[in-house]
Amino acid sequence: MTDTDSKQRLTSAMSEISRVILGKDRQIRLALSCLLARGHCLIEDQPGVGKTTLAHTMAQVLGMDFQRIQFTSDLLPADVLGVSVYNRDDGSFEFHPGPIFSHFVLADEINRATPKTQSALLEAMEEYQVTAEGQTRALPQPFFVIATQNPSHQIGTYPLPESQLDRFLMRISLGYPDSNAERQLLEGEDRRQMIQQLAAVFNSASLLQAQQIAAGIHVSPAILDYVQAILQFTRESGVFETGLSPRGGLALINAARAWALLEAETYVLPEHIQQVLPAVINHRLPLQSTQQDSEAPRSAADHILESVAIA
Amino acid sequence: MAGSNHKNAKTGRTNSELDRALLLMLPPGILLSVLPMLADMALPVTLLAALLGLWQMLIIGYRLKNPARLVQILILLVCFAALVFSYGYVIGRQAGVALLTLMTLLKLFETKTHRDCYIIVYSCLFITASNFFQSQSVWLMLYVFAVVIYLLSLLIALSDRRHSLGHAGHLRLAGRLGLYALPFMLVLFVLFPRIPGPLWGLPDDAFSASTGLGEEMSPGSINQLVSSSAIAFRVKFHGQVPPQPQRYWRALVLSSYDGRTWRRDDAPTSALPNLEYGEKQALIYDYTITLEPHNHHWLPTLQYPLPATDNRRVLMSGPAHRFSREALLLSKEPVTHALNYRLRSQANTLNRSLFDRESYKNRLLPAGRNPQTLALAKQLLESSHYQAPAYIRRVLQYFRDNGFVYTLNPGSLGENAMDDFLFGSRRGFCEHYASAFTYLMRAAGIPARVVIGYQGGQMNPLDEYMIVRQSDAHAWTEIWYGTRDNGYWKRIDPTAAVSPDRIERGVQNAGLDSAGLPLLLAPGNPLLKQLAFFYDSLQHQWNQWVIGYDQDKQASLLRALGLEGKASDLVLLLTVFMGLGALLVAWLLLRQKTRERDRVQYHYRRLCSRLARRGVRRNDAEGPRDYEKRVLQTLDLKPGQRSQLQFVFRAYRALHYGNHNNPKLEKLFISRARNF
């Protein structure tokens, strides 16, 4: 498979997904680049804006087998990872893999589960493997998790701590569709049916290839300078409680690589960094409380976009 | 692996560590540095050097084994033997350079480490510098510069152990460093305090390579010189130029004769000449001579120098000197490098210095020789009634009438040289005629002496100075004319009687067979002549301003700058220049660093500031693509400009953020960005 082939596939995947998810091109693009950068995605929004539909559509178009785990307060780690069951016929324990053994996992309403279950999932996401009953089992490749989360002030939730949020490459929110898109949505056919009819553009092999191409996108010293300037700004400006970790910087670069690939570029531009910046860093950078209280709340990315100069 | 590397680096023992290609460049380096001197070295030494160089190349090139220790010692002994055989000693300039060359070549046998290579290259640099003992011409300077660059590139290659530059890279870097050094070299040359005389003692043979008039004259000593087109000296006249027949450049007076060779007076007096200067100002010539080194003391002058200040000092500028009894200028030090001096001469001055001792000495003849000549003298004296003027006329007439030939190939003369010449061969060059005429004068009791020097000179039309060559070397006679108490030394040139053209029109028109004359002097070939003049003009300027740049010139330069010309001023100026130079270099280095890294960025910034002047300022945090979009939206551009701007932005992005090193695109980007 060639580069151009990958790029064509990516373009058609984009257009297929946006046929179902109306007026959310930017979010689709972010979710796709998150996948291409081998990261996981957290979608945080109100119920009913199409989080599940987005995940479902992506899985369908990318040709990945799809599993959905609805997180509830009584969900146990074993329900996610799998469980060993005694087999009476041959007198041994047999492992029954949980829903996580899948290419594309939608972890719905992750903040409804207990921290114990949450961390079981997050560890699997990080390590790309599951250790249960002393045995380590690799997860299938490619492996992509979209977790959704209701805004934390709703009742009965266990909000993810910052250290766990760091495991997600991006956090995006869908938001309400604009009136045009909403009109079309209301007029249009059933989304679930549409999803069924979508043709798969990728398979797991071609997706892995695309991920490899994304990882090979050139990052020039000038871009590294810019990223370092951003990291330094988050640590020294005093706007943020803590600065970005090196992992945050790496995440920024990888996400920008994938974004560049989606724009059919062979190298990363400062604009690519800027495009992925809010999604990549906002959940990693809590603002100082004084800043949060200000009348017009501004995100971490806004501060950076304003203040960090491109040489 | 890493451990063993470390060990090698530390002990430096393994030969594999030294690059063979680098080693291969050392023998040529040694031979190149000694090459200009090779021709003057003794033949055994030259052969040995070439042989050793070749052998080394073979050893390195074909990975042959070095000769055994014993063989090496044997070769060393052979080298010493060759040196002693050729020079008789191993110190002094020539032998010393030969010794150093051979030892450096031998050093190659035991070259195992980088340190050895450094030693060889440094020795080469020393040998290269010693070339200037031999000659100080422009060409040698250029050659030495090239060799130094080559040696410098070897030093760079020695330091560049990872071969990150490549051979061409080493050479380029060396060349660049050489060029950077030029301004410093010039400043040091101009401002470094000049010290009169040599800074330290040099071996006696340090400047032995010189041709020209010797301090004595025997048959054949001058016609040897005629085939040489080498420059004896150049003259710049400030004002009128003497006509060709008056261009007698007096160098030495020879007054003692042993039957074959004329020599200088072995007990010269330190008394000053008794000169009677003419009154007409018209015959005063003001001139500056740039004398090529000849390793003797004489400084050629026209008849006769006028005192500059008092009677003791004659030169208006020039070396320390003495004004002799014969009205000759003699420098205190042997002339070992080109030197400049300016003086004035008055042609109608009479030299009236004659002590009794001088009168006696200048009438001496070797006893018991040349009976025929003495008889001739007696006969001519009788027929001229013992009158000196008539006698002189008769002798000259004798030369004119008796089929004497002016020739470069006079043939050899026997025991009674004068008899053989006057009655036998009758073929002679100027020294024969001067010698015979002087002899005949002395035979008649008239004090007479031989003067050697140069006669003639050719004006270089390009630069308006006169060139006097070795081929203009000449000998003539001075006789005491008049009574003992009221006479003077009169110049008589018997050659003029035999070959008037020699004096009137110069040696090249004297009707000599042109085979004996240097090619450049041969008649005809105007283009060649023009080229020769141009070449000489160059050489002259070099001698004037580089070789001849001495304490006086330095001081006058400083005075022109409004300083006093003291050594402390020089040091001050030197310090200032060096400080400025260091600052300049630092600035250049810093600038080069930023420029080399960000040439593209530099031009992008300039483009941005130009666009800002048109109303679209780039925000600090604005990427090039966003900015391009905004510029295109905001500015009202013609379609052509628009596409050009788009190209420039696209090229910038590809160059600054892409991973292709594309010099062509870079050039295009820079030119278009500049033009926008």
Side-chain angles (χ1 to χ4, degrees):
Chain A
M1 195 168 78
T2 60
D3 282 21
T4 42
D5 194 13
S6 277
K7 280 172 194 160
Q8 272 171 9
R9 281 177 200 244
L10 285 170
T11 322
S12 51
M14 274 287 304
S15 61
E16 285 292 294
I17 296 168
S18 53
R19 264 175 55 203
V20 179
I21 315 292
L22 298 171
K24 293 292 167 200
D25 280 7
R26 189 182 149 71
Q27 281 81 353
I28 295 167
R29 207 176 264 260
L30 281 172
L32 260 179
S33 45
C34 187
L35 169 65
L36 286 172
R38 294 177 214 243
H40 304 290
C41 186
L42 179 67
I43 303 182
E44 190 177 78
D45 221 322
Q46 306 291 332
V49 291
K51 300 186 293 259
T52 314
T53 317
L54 173 65
H56 214 147
T57 316
M58 276 180 73
Q60 179 70 20
V61 170
L62 300 176
M64 301 163 91
D65 58 343
F66 178 73
Q67 281 285 350
R68 173 182 174 156
I69 313 169
Q70 180 65 52
F71 277 49
T72 54
S73 53
D74 57 355
L75 192 77
L76 294 173
D79 297 332
V80 177
L81 304 178
V83 66
S84 292
V85 177
Y86 184 69
N87 188 333
R88 217 178 292 177
D89 292 341
D90 51 14
S92 66
F93 281 92
E94 196 183 325
F95 184 72
H96 286 251
I100 200 166
F101 284 89
S102 177
H103 287 303
F104 196 120
V105 177
L106 173 63
D108 227 349
E109 297 189 278
I110 189 174
N111 56 345
R112 285 198 182 280
T114 54
K116 193 174 179 183
T117 312
Q118 285 176 355
S119 60
L121 172 74
L122 292 167
E123 270 172 45
M125 279 162 54
E126 183 75 12
E127 320 268 314
Y128 290 92
Q129 63 186 24
V130 167
T131 307
E133 274 130 50
Q135 262 206 315
T136 301
R137 293 176 178 83
L139 292 172
Q141 281 289 349
F143 176 66
F144 181 52
V145 174
I146 285 187
T148 70
Q149 176 169 260
N150 291 330
S152 50
H153 48 77
Q154 289 194 347
I155 307 158
T157 56
Y158 300 92
L160 289 171
E162 271 130 29
S163 61
Q164 304 282 38
L165 282 174
D166 200 33
R167 310 267 170 108
F168 289 98
L169 179 66
M170 290 187 188
R171 184 184 69 178
I172 56 184
S173 61
L174 288 171
Y176 299 118
D178 61 33
S179 58
N180 268 343
E182 191 154 33
R183 186 63 173 236
Q184 264 184 294
L185 199 75
L186 294 174
E187 284 173 351
E189 47 186 316
D190 182 24
R191 297 288 122 181
R192 223 165 281 168
Q193 247 176 10
M194 281 176 75
I195 293 170
Q196 297 301 318
Q197 288 158 6
L198 287 176
V201 179
F202 277 94
N203 54 35
S204 43
S206 56
L207 199 59
L208 278 173
Q209 188 92 31
Q211 284 181 339
Q212 255 170 34
I213 294 170
I217 296 281
H218 178 68
V219 175
S220 64
I223 290 293
L224 295 179
D225 287 347
Y226 182 46
V227 170
Q228 281 197 302
I230 290 174
L231 295 181
Q232 196 163 357
F233 176 77
T234 64
R235 291 164 195 167
E236 291 172 2
S237 67
V239 179
F240 312 104
E241 262 172 24
T242 54
L244 276 176
S245 61
R247 179 158 62 182
L250 219 52
L252 198 52
I253 287 171
N254 286 334
R257 275 189 167 124
W259 187 276
L261 178 62
L262 285 176
E263 289 197 350
E265 294 275 15
T266 55
Y267 44 85
V268 176
L269 287 173
E271 281 89 346
H272 300 145
I273 299 276
Q274 293 176 341
Q275 290 291 342
V276 299
L277 191 70
V280 174
I281 66 156
N282 277 350
H283 62 291
R284 299 168 201 259
L285 273 181
L287 290 170
Q288 292 248 342
S289 46
T290 50
Q291 305 274 338
Q292 264 171 346
D293 291 343
S294 65
E295 282 135 46
R298 297 195 314 163
S299 70
D302 290 337
H303 282 286
I304 290 169
L305 286 178
E306 248 169 46
S307 316
V308 180
I310 300 168
Chain B
M1 185 69 206
S4 74
N5 265 347
H6 178 68
K7 199 174 163 191
N8 281 350
K10 210 168 181 184
T11 55
R13 278 222 161 253
T14 48
N15 214 350
S16 62
E17 215 188 314
L18 279 175
D19 183 15
R20 225 153 46 91
L22 180 63
L23 274 176
L24 215 47
M25 289 166 83
L26 288 177
I30 302 172
L31 293 181
L32 279 177
S33 32
V34 77
L35 190 66
M37 290 182 283
L38 222 47
D40 284 329
M41 274 191 185
L43 191 66
V45 175
T46 311
L47 284 179
L48 254 175
L51 212 68
L52 278 172
L54 199 70
W55 191 7
Q56 304 283 3
M57 297 281 283
L58 289 177
I59 287 178
I60 301 161
Y62 292 99
R63 298 173 191 274
L64 303 180
K65 263 197 180 160
N66 274 330
R69 204 77 186 151
L70 202 66
V71 181
Q72 287 188 24
I73 292 171
L74 218 65
I75 299 170
L76 184 70
L77 289 179
V78 168
C79 287
F80 268 99
L83 284 172
V84 173
F85 172 74
S86 310
Y87 301 106
Y89 45 85
V90 290
I91 47 166
R93 178 183 70 86
Q94 286 203 317
V97 171
L99 176 72
L100 188 59
T101 306
L102 291 179
M103 291 304 120
T104 311
L105 279 163
L106 284 178
K107 173 81 186 159
L108 278 170
F109 279 133
E110 47 166 38
T111 296
K112 291 187 176 59
T113 63
H114 278 91
R115 193 173 158 275
D116 296 329
C117 295
Y118 279 117
I119 290 174
I120 288 181
V121 177
Y122 291 143
S123 308
C124 286
L125 285 168
F126 191 86
I127 296 173
T128 307
S130 67
N131 276 308
F132 286 120
F133 285 133
Q134 192 95 1
S135 151
Q136 295 143 14
S137 74
V138 204
W139 311 112
L140 183 71
M141 202 271 307
L142 292 175
Y143 177 81
V144 163
F145 190 75
V147 171
V148 167
I149 295 292
Y150 176 77
L151 294 174
L152 205 56
S153 85
L154 290 186
L155 282 184
I156 292 169
L158 277 169
S159 316
D160 179 23
R161 299 198 186 176
R162 289 182 188 172
H163 304 281
S164 52
L165 289 176
H167 290 314
H170 297 147
L171 217 52
R172 259 201 304 278
L173 181 58
R176 245 199 0 244
L177 290 176
L179 286 182
Y180 289 159
L182 274 182
F184 289 92
M185 198 178 86
L186 285 178
V187 167
L188 280 173
F189 175 80
V190 173
L191 293 182
F192 196 82
R194 299 265 145 179
I195 292 145
L199 196 53
W200 50 77
L202 288 165
D204 290 340
D205 68 339
F207 301 97
S208 63
S210 53
T211 55
L213 284 179
E215 303 228 319
E216 52 184 45
M217 186 187 84
S218 47
S221 64
I222 288 181
N223 60 356
Q224 265 179 358
L225 292 174
V226 170
S227 57
S228 160
S229 66
I231 309 293
F233 53 93
R234 298 178 177 83
V235 196
K236 176 93 187 164
F237 284 96
H238 315 280
Q240 57 178 335
V241 178
Q244 171 77 24
Q246 293 302 316
R247 294 174 194 164
Y248 280 89
W249 304 97
R250 299 172 81 242
L252 283 172
V253 165
L254 311 176
S255 46
S256 89
Y257 184 56
D258 64 358
R260 177 167 181 81
T261 304
W262 289 89
R263 291 198 174 78
R264 298 175 62 190
D265 189 350
D266 45 4
T269 163
S270 62
L272 283 175
N274 176 17
L275 294 181
E276 185 183 311
Y277 291 103
E279 285 181 10
K280 262 206 291 182
Q281 293 291 310
L283 286 168
I284 292 179
Y285 302 109
D286 184 355
Y287 53 101
T288 302
I289 288 183
T290 309
L291 184 62
E292 293 288 322
H294 52 55
N295 223 13
H296 298 296
H297 293 265
W298 50 265
L299 307 171
T301 53
L302 285 173
Q303 173 178 341
Y304 289 109
L306 284 167
T309 45
D310 55 84
N311 255 3
R312 295 224 160 243
R313 193 176 154 82
V314 174
L315 298 183
M316 291 153 82
S317 71
H321 61 278
R322 189 166 71 80
F323 198 32
S324 81
R325 179 79 176 153
E326 297 104 342
L328 294 170
L329 276 186
L330 296 167
S331 118
K332 285 250 159 69
E333 302 284 336
V335 181
T336 52
H337 56 271
L339 61 85
N340 266 307
Y341 55 94
R342 180 173 178 173
L343 73 158
R344 292 181 305 150
S345 288
Q346 189 164 11
N348 55 357
T349 303
L350 300 179
N351 183 0
R352 292 190 182 279
S353 18
L354 187 72
F355 293 146
D356 287 343
R357 212 178 112 265
E358 289 165 328
S359 169
Y360 167 73
K361 272 191 171 177
N362 281 303
R363 281 180 292 158
L364 280 180
L365 287 175
R369 289 215 193 151
N370 303 314
Q372 275 180 289
T373 309
L374 293 178
L376 174 70
K378 199 172 175 192
Q379 181 203 329
L380 291 175
L381 198 59
E382 269 169 18
S383 66
S384 52
H385 307 289
Y386 299 94
Q387 293 298 308
Y391 176 70
I392 294 164
R393 271 200 304 278
R394 290 216 172 235
V395 171
L396 291 176
Q397 194 63 41
Y398 182 82
F399 283 136
R400 233 171 270 140
D401 292 347
N402 286 286
F404 282 90
V405 180
Y406 182 62
T407 176
L408 280 173
N409 307 302
S412 57
L413 303 171
E415 175 81 359
N416 293 316
M418 287 303 154
D419 283 2
D420 288 355
F421 171 62
L422 287 174
F423 305 101
S425 68
R426 298 194 170 171
R427 297 164 61 81
F429 199 60
C430 54
E431 68 256 42
H432 298 85
Y433 293 100
S435 181
F437 186 79
T438 312
Y439 197 96
L440 283 167
M441 289 301 124
R442 288 190 178 189
I446 302 172
R449 58 198 188 189
V450 170
V451 184
I452 56 176
Y454 297 86
Q455 202 282 324
Q458 198 178 12
M459 288 305 286
N460 186 335
L462 294 179
D463 235 355
E464 304 234 300
Y465 61 86
M466 186 182 286
I467 304 165
V468 180
R469 296 174 192 277
Q470 295 300 349
S471 54
D472 293 317
H474 194 54
W476 59 95
T477 305
E478 278 179 1
I479 59 162
W480 185 256
Y481 196 73
T483 61
R484 166 69 188 83
D485 297 321
N486 188 22
Y488 63 95
W489 287 103
K490 181 182 170 69
R491 178 180 70 219
I492 291 178
D493 189 350
T495 307
V498 185
S499 170
D501 281 346
R502 164 67 184 88
I503 309 306
E504 300 286 335
R505 297 168 59 202
V507 68
Q508 60 270 44
N509 298 313
L512 293 166
D513 36 348
S514 34
L517 283 172
L519 182 67
L520 289 179
L521 286 184
N525 209 339
L527 180 73
L528 209 62
K529 226 165 212 164
Q530 199 69 16
L531 270 176
F533 278 130
F534 174 75
Y535 169 79
D536 191 78
S537 173
L538 191 75
Q539 191 72 281
H540 179 58
Q541 294 300 332
W542 173 259
N543 283 349
Q544 283 286 308
W545 297 109
V546 181
I547 308 295
Y549 184 77
D550 54 10
Q551 219 179 5
D552 285 350
K553 282 202 173 155
Q554 196 173 41
S556 67
L557 180 81
L558 282 187
R559 276 193 296 275
L561 289 174
L563 291 164
E564 268 180 72
K566 287 183 301 191
S568 57
D569 292 341
L570 284 171
V571 172
L572 184 74
L573 262 183
L574 208 57
T575 317
V576 168
F577 267 104
M578 287 293 141
L580 285 178
L583 280 179
L584 184 75
V585 167
W587 181 69
L588 277 177
L589 281 179
L590 280 176
R591 196 162 149 258
Q592 190 193 16
K593 220 173 190 174
T594 51
R595 271 196 80 161
E596 237 168 51
R597 219 182 75 196
D598 290 324
R599 248 174 47 166
V600 171
Q601 189 65 6
Y602 169 78
H603 285 281
Y604 176 66
R605 283 209 191 114
R606 287 189 49 182
L607 178 73
C608 288
S609 63
R610 248 172 290 156
L611 287 169
R613 255 176 272 148
R614 296 181 65 163
V616 195
R617 175 171 212 90
R618 186 176 80 93
N619 301 325
D620 283 348
E622 194 169 24
R625 211 173 53 183
D626 292 344
Y627 183 51
E628 177 193 354
K629 213 185 277 171
R630 208 155 59 84
V631 168
L632 291 178
Q633 276 169 6
T634 319
L635 289 183
D636 191 23
L637 296 167
K638 289 187 208 113
Q641 276 185 313
R642 207 178 167 77
S643 62
Q644 194 170 355
L645 198 63
Q646 275 170 330
F647 170 81
V648 169
F649 271 106
R650 211 166 50 236
Y652 167 70
R653 289 199 297 269
L655 289 167
H656 194 57
Y657 296 109
N659 59 343
H660 304 292
N661 188 9
N662 189 340
K664 232 189 232 165
L665 184 64
E666 188 175 319
K667 237 179 234 169
L668 206 59
F669 162 74
I670 289 174
S671 75
R672 295 247 179 120
R674 244 196 219 136
N675 287 339
F676 188 78

